[in-house]
């Protein structure tokens, strides 16, 4: 038993010596290839075995013949182990280089495609992560292109819509200044109308900028949807009478929601104005509200005849307006973008779909905690 302990002690000293030397070598070559690291690891393993054997031999536990035999076996094992380590290192390095080349497509704005062939579990996991990152980057690029296109359209439309009332104001003011206006009061009333239009457009731009900047401060409180819809219908009634459109709101449940009353009133007001302006005379705009498993759903249904399927995904984009809505009083195409921004700030969602004779805008709000 004592001899066994001594052999283990001397073998441990030899292995520790080889391990310390190997650790030092690994530290010095830490920036080298994986192949070199694997060769050092194999060398440490073989060196630990050989150092322990020599230590045991020096302690007179091995004869010279036995030492020669063990040394020969260790040498053969070292050759085979080193060759295996070099092959493994070359394969892993080659796979890593192929992965690095494939990852360069990120910088070129392309998509990542994982290299063909087998890989270690770690490299395979890295490939999957790169593929997922590539997918997210592609989606981000698509969103960025869509937003840039939307911004360009918005600038073009805003410029046109601002130029029209400004040109009218300039012409009317010059007529008043020159004393050639036959009915000055009518000119003044028209100027006030144009100024109000400009004020609404500027207000919409300011609201949209706050939404995009994440600076929309909400003051939520517990409110009944019935009261919100009632106030919105009352506010839209004059415009509905002007256009000869009937407003219907008899299917509204008195369910509570936790929202900012002012902002949510703006949402319903924008939806109602949008629906009234696109519904022909003698048409109907209906508002409903009900509790569903996924939240409280408020819908506004109009009689616009429907939206082309290709345009449905763009309805809530900034600056979007249908092909029949490019002239006043359609506005600058900001109302529905503001609707989506405010609803999403409330952790809800806005959607639109075609129904018989028109389309239905739905706002889904989270259910109030009891």
């Amino acid at each position: 038993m004592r001899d066994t302990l001594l052999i283990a002690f001397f073998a441990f000293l030899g292995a520790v010596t080889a391990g310390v030397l190997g650790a030092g070598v690994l530290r010095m070559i830490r920036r080298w290839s994986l192949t070199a690291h694997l060769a050092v690891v194999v060398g440490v393993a073989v060196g630990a075995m050989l150092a322990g054997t020599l230590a045991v031999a020096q302690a007179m536990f091995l004869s010279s013949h036995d030492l020669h035999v063990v040394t020969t076996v260790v040498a053969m094992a070292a050759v085979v182990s080193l060759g295996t380590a070099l092959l493994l290192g070359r394969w892993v390095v080659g796979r890593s280089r192929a992965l690095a080349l494939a990852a360069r497509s990120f910088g070129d704005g392309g998509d990542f495609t994982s290299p063909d062939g087998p890989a270690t579990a770690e490299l395979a996991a890295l490939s999957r992560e790169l593929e997922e990152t590539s997918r997210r980057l592609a989606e981000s690029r698509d969103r960025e292109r869509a937003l840039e296109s939307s911004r360009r359209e918005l600038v073009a439309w805003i410029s046109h819509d601002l130029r029209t009332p400004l040109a009218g104001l300039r012409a009317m003011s010059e007529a008043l200044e020159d004393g050639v206006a036959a009915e000055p009061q009518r000119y003044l009333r028209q100027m006030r109308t144009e100024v109000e239009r400009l004020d609404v457009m500027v207000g919409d731009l300011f609201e949209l900028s706050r939404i995009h900047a994440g600076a929309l401060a909400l003051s939520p409180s517990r409110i009944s949807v019935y009261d919100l819809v009632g106030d919105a219908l009352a506010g839209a009634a004059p415009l509905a009478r002007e256009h000869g459109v009937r407003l219907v709101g008899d299917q509204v449940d008195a369910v509570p929601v936790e929202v900012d009353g002012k902002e949510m009133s703006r949402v319903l007001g924008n939806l109602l104005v949008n629906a009234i302006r696109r519904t022909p005379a003698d048409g109907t705009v209906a508002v409903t509200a009900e509790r569903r498993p996924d939240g409280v759903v408020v819908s506004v249904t109009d009689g616009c005849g429907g939206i082309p399927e290709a345009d449905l995904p763009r309805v809530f984009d900034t600056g979007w307006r249908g092909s029949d809505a490019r002239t006043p009083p359609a506005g600058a195409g900001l109302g529905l973008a503001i609707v989506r921004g405010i609803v999403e700030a409330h952790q809800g969602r806005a959607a639109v779909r075609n129904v018989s004779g028109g389309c239905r805008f739905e706002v889904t709000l989270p259910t109030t905690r009891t």
Side-chain angles (χ1 to χ4, degrees), residues 42-43 45-47 49-50 71-85:
V42 170
V46 174
M49 183 182 301
L50 184 59
T71 304
T72 303
V73 172
V74 170
M76 295 302 100
V79 171
V80 175
S81 300
L82 184 60
T84 303

Side-chain angles (χ1 to χ4, degrees), residues 79-94:
V79 171
V80 175
S81 300
L82 184 60
T84 303
L86 292 176
L87 288 175
L88 175 61
R90 287 175 59 86
W91 177 73
V92 173
V93 169

Side-chain angles (χ1 to χ4, degrees), residues 26-50:
L26 287 175
R27 180 176 177 82
M28 288 188 294
I29 66 170
R30 59 184 180 275
R31 299 183 185 276
W32 290 18
S33 169
L34 178 65
T35 303
H37 287 75
L38 288 174
V40 172
V41 170
V42 170
V44 168
V46 174
M49 183 182 301
L50 184 59

Side-chain angles (χ1 to χ4, degrees), residues 57-73:
Q58 290 295 324
M60 306 301 292
F61 286 101
L62 282 178
S63 64
S64 59
H65 178 269
D66 293 340
L67 178 61
H68 178 73
V69 172
V70 172
T71 304
T72 303
V73 172

Side-chain angles (χ1 to χ4, degrees), residues 10-352:
F10 287 122
F12 176 75
L13 286 180
V16 167
T17 302
V20 170
L21 293 175
V25 174
L26 287 175
R27 180 176 177 82
M28 288 188 294
I29 66 170
R30 59 184 180 275
R31 299 183 185 276
W32 290 18
S33 169
L34 178 65
T35 303
H37 287 75
L38 288 174
V40 172
V41 170
V42 170
V44 168
V46 174
M49 183 182 301
L50 184 59
T53 301
L54 292 175
V56 170
Q58 290 295 324
M60 306 301 292
F61 286 101
L62 282 178
S63 64
S64 59
H65 178 269
D66 293 340
L67 178 61
H68 178 73
V69 172
V70 172
T71 304
T72 303
V73 172
V74 170
M76 295 302 100
V79 171
V80 175
S81 300
L82 184 60
T84 303
L86 292 176
L87 288 175
L88 175 61
R90 287 175 59 86
W91 177 73
V92 173
V93 169
R95 180 68 180 186
S96 299
R97 288 175 178 171
L99 199 59
L101 289 174
R104 289 181 183 176
S105 61
F106 286 155
D108 300 331
D111 296 329
F112 174 81
T113 302
S114 180
D116 296 330
T120 63
E122 292 78 9
L123 290 178
L126 179 59
S127 295
R128 289 192 296 269
E129 288 296 328
L130 289 173
E131 288 176 350
E132 179 64 19
T133 301
S134 173
R135 183 187 64 80
R136 291 197 295 267
L137 286 174
E139 292 177 353
S140 178
R141 286 193 295 268
D142 292 340
R143 286 195 299 270
E144 184 178 354
R145 283 193 289 266
L147 286 173
E148 184 59 30
S149 175
S150 177
R151 291 190 189 99
R152 288 196 297 267
E153 293 177 353
L154 175 62
V155 170
W157 291 341
I158 286 291
S159 300
H160 175 270
D161 288 347
L162 287 176
R163 189 179 296 113
T164 301
L166 287 174
L169 287 170
R170 179 177 181 178
M172 287 183 286
S173 64
E174 288 177 351
L176 290 171
E177 184 179 4
D178 296 338
V180 297
E183 301 179 48
Q185 291 300 320
R186 184 173 66 85
Y187 275 60
L188 291 173
R189 287 194 298 270
Q190 184 62 30
M191 290 176 68
R192 179 174 181 177
T193 300
E194 295 298 336
V195 169
E196 289 176 350
R197 282 187 55 208
L198 290 173
D199 182 66
V200 170
M201 292 173 62
V202 172
D204 285 347
L205 284 171
F206 178 70
E207 182 78 0
L208 195 62
S209 67
R210 287 201 304 160
I211 291 172
H212 286 172
L216 182 63
L218 300 177
S219 300
S221 59
R222 190 181 181 92
I223 305 174
S224 172
V225 173
Y226 185 86
D227 295 334
L228 281 174
V229 172
D231 293 342
L233 289 173
L239 181 64
R241 285 195 298 270
E242 179 184 342
H243 286 75
V245 174
R246 293 185 300 274
L247 290 179
V248 178
D250 53 3
Q251 297 184 21
V252 179
D253 296 339
V255 293
V257 288
E258 195 84 15
V259 297
D260 186 310
K262 179 182 177 182
E263 298 296 342
M264 196 52 58
S265 294
R266 181 163 194 164
V267 167
L268 296 178
N270 285 0
L271 291 177
L272 284 171
V273 169
N274 179 74
I276 292 170
R277 285 176 174 169
R278 286 162 177 75
T279 299
D282 295 330
T284 300
V285 172
V287 182
T288 63
E290 60 179 335
R291 185 194 298 271
R292 295 181 186 173
D294 57 342
V296 178
V297 180
V298 181
S299 64
V300 177
T301 305
D302 59 34
C304 66
I307 300 173
E309 292 294 329
D311 287 343
L312 281 176
R314 298 193 57 206
V315 167
F316 292 99
D317 289 352
T318 301
W320 181 88
R321 294 182 293 187
S323 58
D324 61 342
R326 293 179 181 262
T327 57
L334 305 180
L336 294 179
I338 291 173
V339 165
R340 180 174 63 179
I342 294 175
V343 171
E344 290 181 351
H346 284 85
Q347 306 303 315
R349 63 182 183 275
V352 60

